[in-house]
């Protein structure tokens, strides 16, 4: 395995050997959705969630036996791209494993004869290579590695004695660039239509900045259980790093592929452009959204989509969003409704000379209940 010193530019790892669950995903030309999954793994923010499915025959016996009773939950893993020569290739090469990202497994569940593995995406694993994974694979699975075993005997989910990563708050974009360059050496990613992107920051936008200063984003949001928790009534900026590899003979126009953000419903309103053309090799695309103040917590989402002309498949990730309730707003509305209702009723009693302390308290209590009834039926949207 690469030394810790050599990895320092890309990621920090714990000392001491541990076991990572290796999850391989290939991209055969007849199954384009598999290549979409590779782009989506690269695009996910820290804490984003995805799932892979493996038939029993593609998993090591040890892993398959641990699925029951949540035996894999909480384990660290490593998602890798597996390049294999097409069946009709004249000069076949040995399969190549390209490590992509560290992941933490949330749930593994047997569904019939296959297993669904749901995982949370972590830091990029640019410090690892094909030889690292192969040399550290546990002895019982060495004979089942791609390129060693027969096609039907190959395992795509197994264990390797690799160090676990340390948790990180920010994506390492240099590592993202390194892995994108490695992927671009292999089909189907070695084309001018391939664009890599990753959501690397969601931050609250400041209301203003002083003259001559940069309006730095504040209160960086983090994904928790796959969703971003945002304060309702505030403006947030989604920052996406896009990277495109052009060949020296590329004749494709620079306006053919774009990055879009598509909100679900009207809880999130994007007040910036919702579409940005990928017109350079690398760039940062920013999308600014706003929301109304909310009396209750709301769940929403938006999709970040890579779209292109005919023949280029759209590739998207879903960003779940939890809009937190505004406690002060709810309390203020309740108090104002209670007081306004009670004052009207108490004034009428005083005018009729029937007011008493007991009657005033009863009116106040009734007004408080009426305020709750008036507020909560009206917050289906808010």
């Amino acid at each position: 395995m690469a030394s810790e010193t050599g990895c320092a530019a890309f990621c920090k790892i714990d000392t001491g050997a541990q076991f990572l669950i290796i999850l391989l995903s290939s991209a055969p030309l007849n199954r384009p959705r598999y290549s979409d999954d590779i782009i989506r793994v690269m695009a996910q923010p820290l804490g984003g969630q995805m799932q892979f499915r493996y038939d029993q025959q593609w998993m090591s016996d040890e892993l398959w036996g641990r699925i029951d009773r949540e035996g894999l939950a909480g384990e660290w893993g490593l998602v890798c791209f597996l390049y294999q020569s097409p069946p009709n290739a004249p000069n076949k090469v040995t399969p190549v494993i390209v490590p992509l990202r560290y992941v933490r497994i949330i749930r593994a569940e047997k569904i019939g004869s296959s297993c669904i593995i749901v995982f949370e995406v972590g830091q990029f694993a640019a410090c690892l290579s094909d030889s690292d994974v192969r040399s550290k694979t546990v002895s019982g699975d060495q004979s089942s590695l791609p390129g060693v075993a027969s096609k039907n005997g190959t395992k795509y989910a197994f264990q390797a004695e690799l160090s676990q990563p340390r948790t990180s708050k920010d994506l390492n974009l240099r590592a993202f660039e390194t892995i994108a360059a490695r992927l671009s050496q292999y089909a189907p990613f070695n084309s001018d239509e391939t664009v890599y992107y990753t959501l690397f920051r969601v931050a609250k936008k400041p209301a203003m900045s002083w003259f001559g200063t940069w309006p730095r984003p504040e209160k960086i949001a983090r994904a928790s259980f796959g969703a971003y928790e945002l304060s309702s009534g505030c403006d947030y900026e989604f920052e996406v790093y896009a990277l495109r590899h052009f060949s020296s003979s590329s004749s494709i126009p620079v306006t053919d592929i774009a990055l879009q953000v598509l909100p679900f419903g009207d809880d999130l309103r994007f007040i910036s452009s919702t579409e940005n053309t990928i017109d350079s090799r690398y760039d940062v695309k920013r999308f600014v959204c706003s929301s109304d103040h909310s009396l209750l917590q709301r769940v929403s989402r938006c999709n970040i989509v890579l779209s292109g002309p005919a023949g280029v498949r759209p590739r998207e990730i879903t960003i779940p969003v939890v809009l937190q309730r505004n406690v002060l707003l709810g309390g203020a509305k309740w108090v104002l409704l209670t007081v306004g209702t009670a004052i009207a009723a108490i004034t009428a009693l005083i005018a009729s000379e029937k007011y008493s302390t007991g009657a005033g308290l009863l009116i106040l209590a009734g007004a408080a209940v009426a305020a709750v009834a008036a507020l909560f039926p009206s917050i289906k949207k808010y």
Side-chain angles (χ1 to χ4, degrees):
M1 186 180 66
S3 66
E4 186 171 2
T5 302
C7 297
F10 300 111
C11 59
K12 295 180 179 179
I13 58 177
D14 286 330
T15 57
Q18 303 290 332
F19 286 97
L20 296 187
I21 297 174
I22 308 300
L23 303 175
L24 300 183
S25 179
S26 59
L29 297 178
N30 61 339
R31 295 185 179 181
R33 188 62 190 176
Y34 285 18
S35 61
D36 294 350
D37 284 342
I38 299 301
I39 299 295
R40 291 172 61 228
V41 167
M42 295 286 286
Q44 289 287 346
L46 283 174
Q49 292 186 6
M50 287 188 62
Q51 70 176 34
F52 281 177
R53 183 186 68 84
Y54 293 95
D55 288 339
Q56 180 179 356
Q57 64 173 325
W58 306 130
M59 299 185 66
S60 69
D61 294 337
E62 200 276 338
L63 288 184
W64 182 263
R66 289 172 54 195
I67 295 173
D68 296 329
R69 299 181 181 179
E70 299 294 333
L72 299 181
E75 294 287 328
W76 279 100
L78 180 68
V79 170
C80 304
F81 166 63
L82 174 65
Y83 172 74
Q84 301 181 97
S85 298
N88 57 350
N91 298 316
K92 293 189 176 182
V93 299
T94 303
V96 179
I97 297 173
V98 181
L100 302 179
R101 300 185 74 166
Y102 294 102
V103 299
R104 183 182 287 275
I105 294 177
I106 299 173
R107 184 179 74 255
E109 181 181 9
K110 291 179 181 178
I111 305 293
S113 60
S114 64
C115 171
I116 301 295
I117 299 178
V118 180
F119 54 82
E120 183 179 79
V121 176
Q123 192 58 262
F124 295 103
C127 53
L128 296 177
S129 65
D130 174 276
S131 60
D132 295 326
V133 175
R134 291 180 180 276
S135 64
K136 296 298 182 179
T137 297
V138 297
S139 57
D141 294 328
Q142 286 281 349
S143 59
S144 302
L145 288 173
V148 177
S150 63
K151 180 179 179 180
N152 292 333
T154 300
K155 302 299 182 184
Y156 296 90
F158 51 89
Q159 288 189 105
E161 195 174 355
L162 293 167
S163 298
Q164 298 178 357
R166 291 178 183 154
T167 56
S168 177
K169 294 183 179 180
D170 299 299
L171 276 180
N172 189 326
L173 295 182
R174 184 180 174 188
F176 167 76
E177 293 173 341
T178 298
I179 295 175
R182 292 174 184 171
L183 282 174
S184 297
Q185 300 176 43
Y186 308 105
F189 307 110
N190 57 347
S191 67
D192 292 316
E193 292 89 351
T194 299
V195 177
Y196 308 95
Y197 70 100
T198 188
L199 175 61
F200 70 92
R201 185 161 58 199
V202 176
K204 183 178 177 182
K205 278 190 69 67
M208 61 175 294
S209 62
W210 294 103
F211 178 75
T213 62
W214 176 46
R216 296 176 62 89
E218 56 186 23
K219 296 185 179 179
I220 306 298
R222 308 293 179 193
S224 177
F225 296 100
Y228 279 94
E229 294 185 357
L230 309 181
S231 299
S232 63
C234 298
D235 295 343
Y236 282 88
E237 186 174 57
F238 290 69
E239 297 183 79
V240 182
Y241 182 36
L243 178 63
R244 186 176 184 181
H245 286 278
F246 293 98
S247 66
S248 58
S249 59
S250 175
S251 60
I252 294 180
V254 297
T255 59
D256 61 344
I257 299 180
L259 200 62
Q260 297 176 296
V261 60
L262 304 177
F264 176 79
D266 57 359
D267 287 329
L268 291 177
R269 299 187 306 275
F270 280 85
I271 56 181
S272 66
S273 172
T274 58
E275 180 174 338
N276 285 309
T277 300
I278 308 297
D279 53 5
S280 60
R281 182 177 181 272
Y282 50 86
D283 198 0
V284 174
K285 306 299 182 182
R286 294 180 171 88
F287 304 96
V288 180
C289 71
S290 181
S291 64
D292 294 325
H293 288 284
S294 178
L295 299 182
L296 284 184
Q297 180 173 282
R298 288 178 291 158
V299 177
S300 186
R301 72 172 188 265
C302 65
N303 286 358
I304 298 178
V305 183
L306 198 63
S307 61
V312 176
R313 290 176 56 82
R315 288 160 167 168
E316 79 290 337
I317 58 173
T318 298
I319 308 298
V321 171
V322 177
L323 293 171
Q324 299 174 330
R325 66 191 182 100
N326 191 314
V327 178
L328 293 178
L329 176 64
K333 283 191 172 184
W334 177 77
V335 169
L336 290 174
L337 281 173
T338 299
V339 172
T341 305
I343 286 177
I346 291 174
T347 300
L349 278 182
I350 293 175
S352 64
E353 299 182 350
K354 295 181 180 180
Y355 176 78
S356 65
T357 302
L361 292 175
L362 186 61
I363 290 173
L364 190 63
V369 173
V372 172
L375 282 175
F376 280 80
S378 66
I379 58 179
K380 293 180 180 178
K381 175 181 177 181
Y382 300 106

